[in-house]
Amino acid sequence: MGTLSEILKEQWQWRKQILSLGLFDLKKTSAGAVLGPLWFFAKPAVYILVFWFALEVGLRSADQTGSDVPYILWLMGGLIPWFYIQEILGTGINVFKRYSYLVTKIKFPLAGIPTIFSISTFVVQLGLVVALLVVYFLCGLPLDLYLLQLPVALVLMFVFFNMFSLVTSLLSAISKDFMNLMKTLSTPLFWLSGIIFNVFNLGIPVIELILMLNPITFIVTMYRCAVYDKMWIWDKPEAIIGFVVVFVVTLLVTLVIYRRTHEEVADVL
């Protein structure tokens, strides 16, 4: 608990600097481009359109959903959170090298560095969620209480994957093999996380339960419960149980690894 208290205390004391650096990182990424921030949304838009054409037009996947709600909403509910998670699984697992000057030259709290990148990526995610809601209302769907699950999903996603970024960045700083392993797992996680298929339609309870231990699947399920399935996430208790178990285990692992390795990172870099 002492380690957790230390991390939270540092995050709070340095909150203004962390937020400023996160927004600055976002501005720096779009600097020099004529269209500026629009490029943050160009790649996701292309991905969504390509997947929509391949799955709905090409493979007729929409016919398998049994719903009158446009298939594009189901697809966006899976792909939009993935764009944030993909950044965490890519750059987010190696943030100490990305911001090495904060580690080696400035006395900046180590636990706050992953939050910088998480914030800059999260701002883009918020813009994508707004786009999702625009499509949602253009499809003629109503403003209802189920949509309240979106902000809850956003908070849970940010907290969990910010924690995930911290522990993986610590391990990546010490072991390059671990970083390569995580990058290798990025593509399998996409195909095994229920992003482009419905986990609950597999008809194999054991596999469904295993997939529910994947936090990506949980977040995607929450997005779709809000905008497509029109149900509450607690109607799928196995999803909540799986996420809670993984969250607690990840938290404990993060605290242990942080306590044992955070003083070595500066020397390694």
Side-chain angles (χ1 to χ4, degrees):
M1 292 302 294
T3 304
L4 178 60
S5 176
E6 176 188 345
I7 292 174
L8 295 176
K9 182 179 179 181
E10 289 179 344
Q11 297 269 6
W12 177 254
Q13 290 178 340
W14 289 75
R15 63 190 184 281
K16 293 181 180 179
Q17 294 90 334
I18 291 172
L19 179 60
S20 297
L21 286 170
L23 296 177
F24 175 76
D25 187 69
L26 195 64
K27 293 178 182 178
K28 183 176 66 175
T29 304
S30 62
V34 176
L35 297 179
L38 290 179
W39 285 114
F40 292 127
F41 307 101
K43 181 179 177 180
V46 171
Y47 266 69
I48 290 170
L49 289 174
V50 169
F51 270 98
W52 170 80
F53 182 83
L55 295 176
E56 180 170 13
V57 180
L59 299 176
R60 303 290 181 181
S61 297
D63 297 338
Q64 304 173 16
T65 62
S67 173
D68 295 331
V69 181
Y71 180 73
I72 187 67
L73 273 179
W74 185 90
L75 189 60
M76 291 178 71
L79 288 176
I80 284 179
W82 169 251
F83 294 133
Y84 173 82
I85 296 168
Q86 184 182 41
E87 289 295 322
I88 299 298
L89 295 177
T91 307
I93 65 171
N94 198 28
V95 291
F96 293 139
K97 290 186 178 179
R98 178 184 175 92
Y99 305 103
S100 59
Y101 66 96
L102 293 177
V103 180
T104 59
K105 298 181 180 180
I106 302 175
K107 192 177 180 181
F108 199 90
L110 205 64
I113 296 176
T115 311
I116 295 172
F117 180 74
S118 295
I119 287 175
S120 65
T121 310
F122 192 70
V123 171
V124 177
Q125 178 68 192
L126 291 177
L128 291 173
V129 169
V130 170
L132 172 62
L133 290 174
V134 169
V135 174
Y136 174 88
F137 289 118
L138 287 176
C139 290
L141 295 174
L143 180 66
D144 54 34
L145 292 177
Y146 294 110
L147 292 176
L148 292 176
Q149 293 176 104
L150 277 179
V152 175
L154 284 166
V155 171
L156 292 176
M157 181 170 66
F158 180 85
V159 172
F160 178 84
F161 284 100
N162 185 49
M163 177 173 60
F164 183 82
S165 178
L166 173 59
V167 66
T168 53
S169 293
L170 286 167
L171 294 173
S172 296
I174 296 173
S175 172
K176 189 174 181 180
D177 289 328
F178 180 82
M179 180 182 66
N180 291 334
L181 172 64
M182 291 305 304
K183 289 184 177 180
T184 302
L185 291 176
S186 178
T187 299
L189 281 174
F190 173 80
W191 294 101
L192 297 175
S193 298
I195 295 171
I196 58 171
F197 67 90
N198 191 333
V199 173
F200 300 102
N201 284 347
L202 295 177
I204 308 175
V206 175
I207 294 181
E208 291 178 3
L209 182 61
I210 293 173
L211 290 177
M212 279 297 103
L213 293 173
N214 183 345
I216 302 174
T217 305
F218 174 79
I219 298 299
V220 168
T221 301
M222 279 201 74
Y223 269 65
R224 286 179 174 151
C225 282
V227 302
Y228 188 86
D229 295 320
K230 291 304 172 185
M231 60 183 294
W232 297 107
I233 188 63
W234 53 77
D235 291 331
K236 298 289 185 181
E238 62 271 33
I240 296 178
I241 294 172
F243 180 76
V244 170
V245 169
V246 173
F247 187 95
V248 171
V249 171
T250 304
L251 175 61
L252 294 175
V253 171
T254 300
L255 295 177
V256 171
I257 292 177
Y258 181 84
R259 186 175 65 248
R260 294 183 177 181
T261 63
H262 73 281
E263 295 180 354
E264 303 175 14
V265 173
D267 295 333
V268 173
L269 294 180

